[in-house]
Each structure stands twice: as C-alpha cells, then as structure tokens.
Amino acid sequence: MASKSKITKYTGKPAKVLQSEPAIVIEWPRSLAHRHTYGKLSPFFKGLTEGKLLATRCINPECVEHRLWLPPRADCPDCNQPMTWEELPQPVIGTVHTYARVEYAGAGIELTTPYFQVDVELPGVCTIFKGYLQYGTPEIGMKVKACFRTEDPTNTILDMYWIPLADDKAARF
Amino acid sequence: MIILKKGNLRIPKWNRKVFAVAGGLTNYKKFCPEMKLEEQVMVAFRQMLENNDLKISPAEIKGLVNFLACGNFSDHFQDQLLCEAKVTDYLGLDPMYDIGIKTGGATGGSTVLTAAMAIASGYADVALAVGWERMSEVDTRTGNYYIANAACKDFETRLSRIYAAYYAPMAVRFAWAYNLSEETRAKVAVKNHLYAYYSPYSQQPGKYTIQDVLNSPMSTYPLRFLECCAMTDGAACMLLCDEKTAYKLTDKPCELFIAGGSHTLRVADRRDMEIPLLPHETPDMYKGLRKKEGQRWPGFESFAAARFAAYFAYRMAGVTNPLEELDLVELHDAFTISDIQTYGDIGLRPYGQEPDYIESGDAYFGGKCPSNLSGGLIGTMHAVGATGIFQGIECLWQIQGKYNKFHGDPKIWESFGKKKPKDWKSLQVPNAKQAAWVSHAGVGSHVTVGILRKAF
C-alpha cells in the first residue's frame, strides 16, 4: 500500500491567467540558453576580439573563385574544398554598398536605436559585409573604416563596427 | 561565381497533370485567442469542403485524400513540435501520411509544390495542401526576433533582430540603382491596403493616401509600418487532384504548375552572375544593367530565387510572355520593396524598370495584369505557413469566377464578426484564364512561382 509520503505533489508555479474571455489564455514562460558553436569560424570571432579582420580564400587552383569571403566560410561552395585564413591589412577601409536606419528593433537588441546598419564592399572580397556604423550618416559610396571592440568584447559579430573614414584623422594618409 | 549547367536548368516536368479544385481560408487577425491552431485550420478545411461547389460530399472527399503537405514556418512561435500530427488528426484524416514543410515565408508555396509532386508522381490522386501559423503566442518584438532567426544567426541576426532591417538596405540600394521613389513604394501600400478593404478575411484593410503611408511610423528606414505586413494567426487549405478526379469533383478545375528557386540566406553572399532569361527576354536587354559602380546581379536589387522559380514555372506551363498571358498575379508583398523587386524577377517588367509596373497602372484592378487583388500580405495576411496557399486560393477563385462568392457574401463577413462595407466593390477580373503567384522567404532565400490555368 502506498504510504502518504509517496503522494505525488505539484511543485510548479501556477500558470498566470492573462485573460478569460472569449477563451482562457495563460502565460507559458520560456527561458532557455542554447549552446551555440562558431565551429570552424572560431578564428574569425577570436580575431575580432584581437582587432583583426580574418577572411577565407579558396586556394584550390582548379576553383573558379579566388577572392576572399567575408563573412568567412571554412569550405568553398564552388569546389567544396577547405579554404585558408587571411587577415585583411590594416586599416580596413571599405565602401558603403547600402545601408538602413534601424528604428524599431526586435526583442533583445544590443545596440541603442536608432542606428545605421551598413553593408560594406571591401577590395578583393567577393561578398558584401554587413555591420553597423558607430556614428555619422552613411551614403552609398561613402568610405568607412573598420574598428574593433577589443576591450570588454561581446564575443559576437558586434565586436566590429564601422566609422566614417572622413572623421578618422588617424586613418587619413 | 555560380555557373549553371544543363542539368541545373532542366525544366521540371509532371509525370501526369495536376489540378487545383477548391480552397478555404480563415479570418486573419493578429491575435486569435478564441481558437487553437487546429481549430482555426478546421475553419479553412470546412470552407474548402463545403463551400466550393464540389460535386461529392465532404465525407466522400475525405475518403479520397491519401496525402497531406503541412506548411508551418516556425516551431518557435507555436511552441508545439509535430503539430502536423495534431492537425491531421483534428481534421479526421488519420492515418494518412503528412509531411511538415518549412521554407520560411515561402512555406505555403513549398507546401503546394509538395502536394503537387504527390499528385504528379502518382503517390496520391487527391492531396491536401494545408498551412497555418500562430504568431500570437509571443509579443510583437519577440516575434520580430524569432523571425530574425531566419537571417544568418552568426553574422546578421544581432544586427537588428527584425526582418524589415534586412529588406530596408535593398530598398535604399534599389532606389539608388533603378530610380525608385518613396511615392511609388507608398502606392503599393495604398493599393494593397485598399484591396484588403474588400476582403472579409483581411487583417489590415484601409483607405490610405500616399501621404498617410509616408507619414506612418518608421520601422527601419526607409520602410514605414504601413509598408510592412503584420504578425498573423490563420490557416489555409487547398485541394489538389489528378485530372480524372478533378472533373469528378468540380466543374471548374484549374491546371497547376509550380516550381521553386533558392539562394544563399545572406544577401551579402549573392555574387554577380549571369541573368537566366525568361522566354520573352533577350541578352541585349540587360547589357547596360550593371552601369553603376559596384552593381551586381542579383545583388541587393533582385532575387535570383524568384527569377529561377519563374524561369522554371513559365517553361513548365508554356507561358511565353507573363504580362500578356497572365490575367492577374499575387505577389509576396511582405514589404513594399520586395513586391517591387519581384516585378523584374518574374518579368512583369525588365530589370531596372520595375517601378513602371505600378506607375503605368498595369498593377491595378482594371489594368493589364493586376496584382494582389486579395489585399496581399500588407493588407490581408501573413500567417506565414498559410500565405503561399492563401495566394494560390485567391488566384483559383478568380479563375473560377468566384471572387464575389468568397468576398462579397455578407454571411462570410458576419461569421468573422465583421460588417461588409456599404461601398464594397467586386474585384473579380472578367474572364480570368491564367494567374501566377509568388511565395517568397528569407530576403529571397526560397521562392516558388505557381501558375493556375483555367481547365473548363
């Protein structure tokens, strides 16, 4: 016979009723932390924290694409062979291909709004690299310089950002 | 560079003809607490079975179905895995096999494609394409973040956490490259909100002016809220059959063709490539297209996935000139800009001249090839998994001459707790014979183009 101490007890927290009409709607809490790997792209994210912008290149002589990839990929989509890492020479100067001003951002946004997202062309790179402009107003064709959040890094893509080249005296030659 | 070879460009072919015979929709709204998702699917399923003038009883039709393609975009939103099984059971279609389909915003199109492949291959004589989305389980900003997980998680998501911010750079670039004004973009929003005004199913109907659109709050510059679709709860069902069964079920079957294209999720990675030409295009047309510095195709201006879907679907269906041969289109206007970009991809205008499709009047009711008479995504709905099915159904009803039946009946309005407007007008395209619809995902990562043709 089951003893009283073996009675199954409710140990949860009662669901909050958000509304009762026209139907019962309850709150269903979700709080999860995923484990996400940067995999073979780990050198890129480590590089950002060290103030380096790393791209990949396919060195297979038979491949049709020999330009750099940024965002990097560990493997070439054209010939499926592993690519090699290459650091972009500093200062990294790019050209604004297009931009957008984010005013209404989704939950969890880590940047103060409004801010400018910029898509940047880089010499020798076959892709167009998305980032954000720390200050200033972008326009298509504007030159921008890459900066890095080496102190107190976020360990995410937000560890790099762009600034207008015209405002950066140090970068003027 | 992507280099396409003969096998890549093989035109898809059905082993036997595929037909669409019936469709069902729901009331589309941002938050539908009065019904659970499977209960909402039942609303669409009943309309499909009971109100499409089918010649045999709902019970008999159910006795013919032996395959379901079930579209729903996000497990995050509904927080219920394997809800395909719940839906199939709830509709009373157990133990027929159902396959869950997920291709973002193009889920509905992919669902119809999957059901069509079941018919074309002989797996099934009657298949159900059913789709739904329940986006109201979370608040809007959390919903925006969930959807932004359909951008590249490592390199894009954290840069905005809202999808408008992945289309907005395209709007800026397109305006610069092809001379698109904010007013033309606003006209798309005005048109589609207005057409939604005549639909009992619509979520965001409204009689707006261009100025209203331009004055509406900014989501991500340059896209305003009135230029964007909203979060939707809703469902849609479409019934597909082989030729013999189609004529047994209805006097008004439509032959179906559908094909898709995909492209890298990150717009950034879309390298310049040769433009695959539609049947009515010539290589000379695009000689001067990349005239500005840094220009590439498809780049930020166009969608290779949409171009490929059209490339295949037009040839499958024998469409040689879309603007001349399509009586209407339903396009994926999740944002005004994505609507406009698609005009070039599917050949309503040559690339670079997309704004003229709106400015010429061709896109309007009464025009040469009106678009989104349903109200589209901006005006009527974007219950993601259902959207590409809803668009196809609106095309089907137009060709069947049933726009008024399904939009003008006061009882449908009342069943949704709405009142048919006194100034309601019919958007039935006279004598519509052929229509196309575009189902689109992920800043152009997946696109299907479906074509329905009158077969009665």
Side-chain angles (χ1 to χ4, degrees), chain B residues 219-230:
Chain B
S219 175
T220 293
Y221 173 86
L223 299 173
R224 277 86 170 171
F225 274 93
L226 281 176
E227 295 182 73
C228 306
C229 61

Side-chain angles (χ1 to χ4, degrees), chain B residues 13-58:
Chain B
K13 193 179 138 201
W14 299 145
N15 278 337
R16 59 174 181 166
K17 290 182 175 182
V18 180
F19 292 80
V21 295
L25 306 176
T26 64
N27 184 23
Y28 297 111
K29 52 198 284 197
K30 186 154 183 172
F31 179 39
C32 180
E34 62 272 26
M35 275 182 264
K36 292 164 68 61
L37 82 86
E38 59 272 30
E39 295 162 353
Q40 216 176 7
V41 174
M42 183 65 90
V43 172
F45 190 57
R46 272 202 294 258
Q47 189 188 43
M48 184 194 82
L49 290 176
E50 297 172 9
N51 302 108
N52 279 262
D53 312 309
L54 296 175
K55 295 192 280 186
I56 66 173
S57 72

